Coordinates of all heavy atoms in Angstrom, one line a residue:
M1 N 160.9 59.5 2.2 CA 161.6 60.5 1.4 C 161.4 62.0 1.9 O 160.2 62.3 2.2 CB 160.9 60.4 0.0 CG 161.6 61.5 -0.9 SD 161.0 61.2 -2.7 CE 159.2 61.1 -2.6
I2 N 162.5 62.6 2.0 CA 162.5 64.0 2.4 C 163.0 64.9 1.4 O 164.2 64.7 0.9 CB 163.3 64.1 3.8 CG1 162.8 63.2 4.9 CG2 163.3 65.6 4.4 CD1 163.6 63.1 6.2
I3 N 162.4 66.0 1.2 CA 162.9 67.0 0.2 C 163.4 68.2 1.1 O 162.7 68.6 2.0 CB 161.8 67.6 -0.7 CG1 161.3 66.4 -1.5 CG2 162.4 68.6 -1.7 CD1 160.1 66.7 -2.5
E4 N 164.8 68.5 0.8 CA 165.3 69.4 1.7 C 166.1 70.6 0.8 O 166.6 70.3 -0.2 CB 166.5 68.7 2.6 CG 166.9 69.6 3.5 CD 167.9 68.8 4.5 OE1 168.4 67.6 4.0 OE2 168.0 69.1 5.6
S5 N 166.1 71.7 1.4 CA 166.7 72.8 0.7 C 168.2 73.1 1.4 O 168.2 73.1 2.8 CB 166.0 74.2 0.8 OG 166.7 75.3 0.4
I6 N 169.3 73.0 0.8 CA 170.6 73.2 1.2 C 171.4 74.3 0.6 O 171.0 74.7 -0.5 CB 171.3 71.9 1.3 CG1 171.7 71.5 -0.1 CG2 170.6 70.8 2.1 CD1 172.6 70.4 -0.3
E7 N 172.4 74.7 1.3 CA 173.3 75.8 0.7 C 174.7 75.2 1.1 O 174.9 74.8 2.2 CB 173.1 77.2 1.4 CG 171.8 77.8 1.0 CD 171.7 79.3 1.6 OE1 172.8 79.7 2.1 OE2 170.7 79.8 1.6
I8 N 175.6 75.2 0.0 CA 176.9 74.7 0.2 C 177.9 75.8 -0.4 O 177.5 76.5 -1.1 CB 177.2 73.4 -0.2 CG1 177.1 73.3 -1.8 CG2 176.4 72.3 0.3 CD1 177.7 72.1 -2.5
E9 N 179.1 75.6 0.1 CA 180.1 76.4 -0.6 C 181.2 75.6 -1.0 O 181.6 74.5 -0.5 CB 180.9 77.4 0.5 CG 179.9 78.5 0.9 CD 180.6 79.5 2.0 OE1 181.7 79.2 2.5 OE2 180.1 80.6 2.1
M10 N 181.7 75.9 -2.2 CA 182.7 75.0 -2.9 C 183.7 75.9 -3.6 O 183.4 76.7 -4.2 CB 181.8 74.2 -3.8 CG 182.6 73.2 -4.6 SD 181.4 72.2 -5.7 CE 182.6 71.3 -6.6
D11 N 184.9 75.3 -3.4 CA 186.1 75.9 -4.1 C 186.1 75.4 -5.6 O 186.3 74.2 -5.8 CB 187.4 75.6 -3.5 CG 188.6 76.3 -4.1 OD1 188.4 76.9 -5.2 OD2 189.7 76.1 -3.5
I12 N 185.8 76.3 -6.6 CA 185.6 75.8 -7.9 C 187.0 75.9 -8.6 O 186.9 75.4 -9.8 CB 184.7 76.8 -8.7 CG1 185.1 78.3 -8.6 CG2 183.2 76.7 -8.1 CD1 184.2 79.1 -9.5
T13 N 188.1 76.2 -7.9 CA 189.3 76.1 -8.7 C 189.9 74.5 -8.5 O 190.7 74.2 -9.3 CB 190.4 77.1 -8.1 OG1 190.5 76.8 -6.7 CG2 190.0 78.4 -8.3
T14 N 189.4 73.9 -7.6 CA 189.9 72.4 -7.4 C 189.1 71.4 -8.1 O 189.3 70.4 -8.0 CB 189.9 72.1 -5.9 OG1 188.6 72.2 -5.5 CG2 190.8 73.1 -5.2
T15 N 188.1 71.9 -8.9 CA 187.1 70.9 -9.5 C 187.9 70.3 -10.8 O 188.8 70.9 -11.4 CB 185.9 71.6 -10.1 OG1 186.3 72.6 -11.0 CG2 185.0 72.1 -9.1
K16 N 187.8 69.0 -10.9 CA 188.4 68.3 -12.1 C 187.3 67.9 -12.9 O 186.2 67.4 -12.7 CB 188.9 67.1 -11.5 CG 190.1 67.2 -10.5 CD 190.7 65.9 -10.0 CE 191.8 66.3 -8.8 NZ 191.9 65.2 -8.0
G17 N 187.5 68.3 -14.2 CA 186.5 68.0 -15.3 C 185.5 69.1 -15.3 O 185.8 70.3 -15.0
E18 N 184.2 68.8 -15.7 CA 183.3 69.8 -15.8 C 182.8 70.3 -14.4 O 182.5 69.4 -13.5 CB 182.0 69.3 -16.6 CG 182.4 69.1 -18.1 CD 181.1 68.9 -18.9 OE1 180.1 69.4 -18.4 OE2 181.2 68.2 -20.0
L19 N 182.4 71.5 -14.3 CA 182.0 72.1 -13.1 C 180.5 71.5 -12.7 O 180.3 71.3 -11.5 CB 181.8 73.7 -13.3 CG 181.4 74.5 -12.0 CD1 182.4 74.2 -10.9 CD2 181.3 75.9 -12.4
N20 N 179.7 71.4 -13.7 CA 178.3 70.8 -13.3 C 178.6 69.5 -12.7 O 177.9 69.1 -11.8 CB 177.6 70.6 -14.7 CG 177.1 71.9 -15.2 OD1 177.2 72.9 -14.6 ND2 176.6 71.8 -16.5
T21 N 179.4 68.5 -13.2 CA 179.6 67.2 -12.7 C 180.1 67.3 -11.2 O 179.6 66.6 -10.4 CB 180.5 66.4 -13.6 OG1 179.9 66.3 -15.0 CG2 180.6 65.0 -13.2
A22 N 181.1 68.2 -11.0 CA 181.7 68.3 -9.6 C 180.7 68.8 -8.7 O 180.7 68.3 -7.6 CB 182.9 69.3 -9.8
I23 N 179.8 69.6 -9.2 CA 178.8 70.3 -8.2 C 177.8 69.1 -7.8 O 177.5 68.9 -6.7 CB 178.1 71.5 -8.7 CG1 179.1 72.7 -8.8 CG2 176.9 71.8 -7.8 CD1 178.6 73.9 -9.5
E24 N 177.4 68.3 -8.8 CA 176.4 67.4 -8.6 C 177.0 66.3 -7.6 O 176.4 65.6 -6.8 CB 175.9 66.8 -9.9 CG 174.9 67.8 -10.6 CD 174.4 67.3 -11.9 OE1 174.5 66.2 -12.3 OE2 173.7 68.0 -12.4
T25 N 178.2 65.9 -7.9 CA 178.9 64.9 -7.1 C 179.0 65.4 -5.7 O 178.8 64.7 -4.7 CB 180.4 64.6 -7.6 OG1 180.2 64.2 -8.9 CG2 181.0 63.7 -6.7
K26 N 179.4 66.6 -5.4 CA 179.4 67.1 -4.1 C 178.0 67.2 -3.4 O 177.8 66.9 -2.2 CB 180.0 68.7 -4.1 CG 180.1 69.3 -2.8 CD 181.3 68.7 -2.1 CE 181.6 69.6 -0.9 NZ 182.6 69.2 -0.1
L27 N 176.9 67.5 -4.1 CA 175.7 67.5 -3.5 C 175.1 66.3 -3.2 O 174.3 66.0 -2.2 CB 174.7 68.2 -4.6 CG 174.8 69.8 -4.7 CD1 174.0 70.2 -5.9 CD2 174.5 70.5 -3.6
Q28 N 175.6 65.1 -3.8 CA 175.2 63.8 -3.5 C 175.5 63.4 -2.1 O 174.9 62.4 -1.6 CB 175.8 62.8 -4.5 CG 175.3 63.2 -5.8 CD 174.8 61.9 -6.6 OE1 174.9 60.8 -6.3 NE2 174.1 62.2 -7.7
E29 N 176.4 64.1 -1.4 CA 176.6 63.8 -0.1 C 175.4 64.2 0.8 O 175.5 63.6 1.9 CB 177.8 64.8 0.4 CG 179.2 64.5 -0.3 CD 180.2 65.4 0.1 OE1 180.1 66.2 1.2 OE2 181.4 65.5 -0.6
W30 N 174.5 65.0 0.3 CA 173.4 65.4 1.1 C 172.1 64.6 0.6 O 171.1 64.6 1.2 CB 173.1 66.8 1.1 CG 174.1 67.5 2.0 CD1 174.0 67.8 3.4 CD2 175.4 68.0 1.6 NE1 175.0 68.4 3.7 CE2 176.0 68.6 2.8 CE3 176.1 68.0 0.5 CZ2 177.3 69.2 2.8 CZ3 177.4 68.6 0.4 CH2 177.9 69.1 1.6
G31 N 172.2 64.0 -0.5 CA 171.0 63.3 -1.1 C 171.0 63.4 -2.7 O 172.0 63.9 -3.3
E32 N 169.9 63.1 -3.4 CA 169.8 63.2 -4.8 C 169.4 64.6 -5.1 O 168.4 65.0 -4.9 CB 168.9 62.2 -5.3 CG 168.8 62.1 -6.8 CD 170.0 61.5 -7.4 OE1 170.7 60.8 -6.8 OE2 170.2 62.0 -8.5
P33 N 170.3 65.4 -6.0 CA 169.9 66.7 -6.4 C 168.7 66.9 -7.2 O 168.9 66.1 -8.3 CB 171.2 67.2 -6.7 CG 172.1 66.2 -7.2 CD 171.7 65.0 -6.3
L34 N 167.8 67.6 -7.1 CA 166.7 67.8 -8.0 C 167.0 69.0 -8.8 O 166.8 68.9 -10.0 CB 165.4 68.1 -7.3 CG 164.7 67.0 -6.6 CD1 163.5 67.4 -5.8 CD2 164.3 65.9 -7.5
R35 N 167.5 70.1 -8.1 CA 167.9 71.2 -8.9 C 168.9 71.9 -8.0 O 168.9 71.9 -6.8 CB 166.8 72.2 -9.3 CG 166.0 72.8 -8.2 CD 164.9 73.6 -8.7 NE 164.2 74.3 -7.5 CZ 164.6 75.5 -7.1 NH1 165.5 76.1 -7.5 NH2 163.9 75.9 -6.0
W36 N 169.7 72.7 -8.7 CA 170.8 73.6 -8.0 C 171.1 74.9 -8.8 O 170.7 74.9 -10.0 CB 171.9 72.8 -7.6 CG 172.6 72.2 -8.8 CD1 172.4 70.9 -9.3 CD2 173.6 72.8 -9.6 NE1 173.2 70.7 -10.4 CE2 173.9 71.7 -10.6 CE3 174.3 74.0 -9.7 CZ2 175.0 72.0 -11.6 CZ3 175.2 74.2 -10.7 CH2 175.5 73.2 -11.5
A37 N 171.6 75.8 -8.2 CA 172.0 77.0 -8.9 C 173.3 77.7 -8.1 O 173.3 77.6 -6.8 CB 170.9 78.0 -8.7
I38 N 174.1 78.2 -8.9 CA 175.3 78.9 -8.2 C 174.7 80.3 -8.0 O 174.3 81.0 -9.1 CB 176.5 79.0 -9.1 CG1 177.1 77.6 -9.4 CG2 177.6 79.9 -8.6 CD1 178.1 77.5 -10.4
T39 N 174.6 80.8 -6.8 CA 174.1 82.1 -6.5 C 175.2 83.2 -6.4 O 174.9 84.3 -6.7 CB 173.3 81.9 -5.2 OG1 174.1 81.5 -4.1 CG2 172.1 81.1 -5.5
T40 N 176.2 82.8 -5.9 CA 177.4 83.9 -5.9 C 178.7 83.3 -6.0 O 178.9 82.1 -5.7 CB 177.4 84.6 -4.5 OG1 177.7 83.7 -3.3 CG2 176.2 85.5 -4.3
V41 N 179.7 84.0 -6.5 CA 181.1 83.5 -6.6 C 182.0 84.7 -6.0 O 182.0 85.8 -6.5 CB 181.5 83.2 -8.0 CG1 183.0 82.7 -8.2 CG2 180.6 82.0 -8.6
D42 N 182.8 84.3 -5.1 CA 183.8 85.4 -4.6 C 185.0 85.3 -5.6 O 185.8 84.2 -5.6 CB 184.2 85.0 -3.2 CG 185.1 86.0 -2.6 OD1 185.8 86.7 -3.4 OD2 185.2 86.1 -1.4
R43 N 185.3 86.2 -6.5 CA 186.3 86.2 -7.3 C 187.7 86.3 -6.8 O 188.6 85.7 -7.4 CB 186.2 87.4 -8.3 CG 185.0 87.3 -9.3 CD 184.8 88.4 -10.1 NE 183.7 88.2 -11.0 CZ 183.7 88.4 -12.4 NH1 184.8 88.7 -13.0 NH2 182.6 88.3 -13.0
T44 N 187.8 86.7 -5.5 CA 189.2 86.6 -4.9 C 189.6 85.3 -4.4 O 190.9 84.9 -4.5 CB 189.2 87.7 -3.7 OG1 188.3 87.3 -2.8 CG2 189.1 89.2 -4.3
T45 N 188.6 84.5 -4.0 CA 188.9 83.2 -3.4 C 188.4 82.0 -4.3 O 188.7 80.8 -4.0 CB 188.3 83.1 -2.0 OG1 186.8 83.1 -2.1 CG2 188.7 84.0 -1.1
N46 N 187.6 82.3 -5.2 CA 186.9 81.3 -6.2 C 186.1 80.4 -5.4 O 186.0 79.2 -5.8 CB 188.0 80.5 -7.0 CG 188.6 81.5 -8.1 OD1 187.9 82.3 -8.7 ND2 189.9 81.4 -8.3
I47 N 185.4 80.9 -4.4 CA 184.5 80.0 -3.6 C 183.1 80.4 -4.2 O 182.7 81.5 -4.3 CB 184.6 80.3 -2.2 CG1 185.9 80.1 -1.5 CG2 183.5 79.6 -1.3 CD1 186.3 78.6 -1.5
A48 N 182.4 79.3 -4.6 CA 181.0 79.6 -5.0 C 180.0 79.1 -4.0 O 180.2 78.1 -3.2 CB 180.9 78.7 -6.3
Q49 N 179.0 79.8 -3.9 CA 177.8 79.5 -3.0 C 176.8 78.8 -3.8 O 176.3 79.4 -4.9 CB 177.3 80.6 -2.3 CG 176.1 80.3 -1.3 CD 175.8 81.2 -0.3 OE1 176.6 82.3 -0.1 NE2 174.9 80.9 0.5
I50 N 176.3 77.7 -3.5 CA 175.4 77.0 -4.2 C 174.2 76.6 -3.5 O 174.3 76.1 -2.3 CB 176.0 75.6 -4.7 CG1 177.2 76.0 -5.6 CG2 175.0 74.7 -5.5 CD1 178.3 74.8 -5.6
E51 N 173.0 76.8 -4.0 CA 171.8 76.5 -3.4 C 171.1 75.5 -4.1 O 171.2 75.4 -5.4 CB 170.7 77.8 -3.4 CG 171.3 78.9 -2.6 CD 170.3 80.0 -2.5 OE1 169.3 80.1 -3.2 OE2 170.7 81.2 -1.9
A52 N 170.6 74.4 -3.3 CA 170.1 73.2 -4.0 C 168.9 72.6 -3.3 O 168.8 73.0 -2.1 CB 171.2 72.1 -4.0
I53 N 168.0 71.9 -4.1 CA 167.1 71.1 -3.5 C 167.4 69.5 -3.7 O 167.7 69.2 -4.8 CB 165.7 71.3 -4.2 CG1 165.3 72.8 -4.1 CG2 164.6 70.5 -3.7 CD1 165.0 73.3 -2.8
V54 N 167.5 68.8 -2.6 CA 167.8 67.4 -2.6 C 166.8 66.6 -2.0 O 166.0 67.0 -1.2 CB 169.2 67.2 -2.0 CG1 170.3 67.9 -2.7 CG2 169.1 67.6 -0.5
I55 N 166.8 65.3 -2.4 CA 165.9 64.3 -1.9 C 166.7 63.4 -1.0 O 167.8 62.8 -1.5 CB 165.3 63.5 -2.9 CG1 164.2 64.3 -3.7 CG2 164.4 62.3 -2.3 CD1 163.6 63.6 -4.9
R56 N 166.3 63.1 0.2 CA 167.0 62.2 1.1 C 166.2 61.1 1.5 O 164.8 61.4 1.4 CB 167.4 62.9 2.4 CG 168.4 64.0 2.2 CD 169.0 64.5 3.7 NE 167.8 65.0 4.5 CZ 167.6 64.7 5.8 NH1 168.3 63.7 6.4 NH2 166.6 65.1 6.4
E57 N 166.6 59.9 1.6 CA 165.8 58.8 2.0 C 165.5 58.8 3.4 O 166.3 59.2 4.3 CB 166.6 57.5 1.7 CG 166.7 57.3 0.2 CD 165.3 57.0 -0.4 OE1 164.5 56.4 0.1 OE2 165.1 57.5 -1.5

């Protein structure tokens, strides 16, 4: 088991349903998310920067 800190960018205008669920689904590509936070949002492009801690096998 490896605990890793990651940063991703995500277009929040293309999310379907709840934003929380969309972010957690995207983070699962890197592992099981322990915690995450939206740190910035560019209002002109609607791109959010997300910092997260994930567990990888």
Side-chain angles (χ1 to χ4, degrees):
M1 171 172 56
I2 299 170
I3 297 175
E4 187 173 30
S5 174
I6 63 169
E7 292 181 17
I8 65 168
E9 290 185 346
M10 182 175 173
D11 183 354
I12 58 175
T13 59
T14 61
T15 59
K16 298 175 183 166
E18 287 196 29
L19 183 59
N20 290 350
T21 304
I23 291 171
E24 288 180 5
T25 300
K26 182 75 171 172
L27 289 172
Q28 297 229 351
E29 295 175 13
W30 286 272
E32 184 64 33
L34 288 176
R35 66 180 183 87
W36 56 267
I38 298 173
T39 55
T40 60
V41 176
D42 183 337
R43 291 181 180 226
T44 59
T45 61
N46 288 324
I47 300 291
Q49 183 161 355
I50 301 158
E51 295 179 4
I53 303 295
V54 295
I55 296 176
R56 292 189 302 126
E57 292 294 323

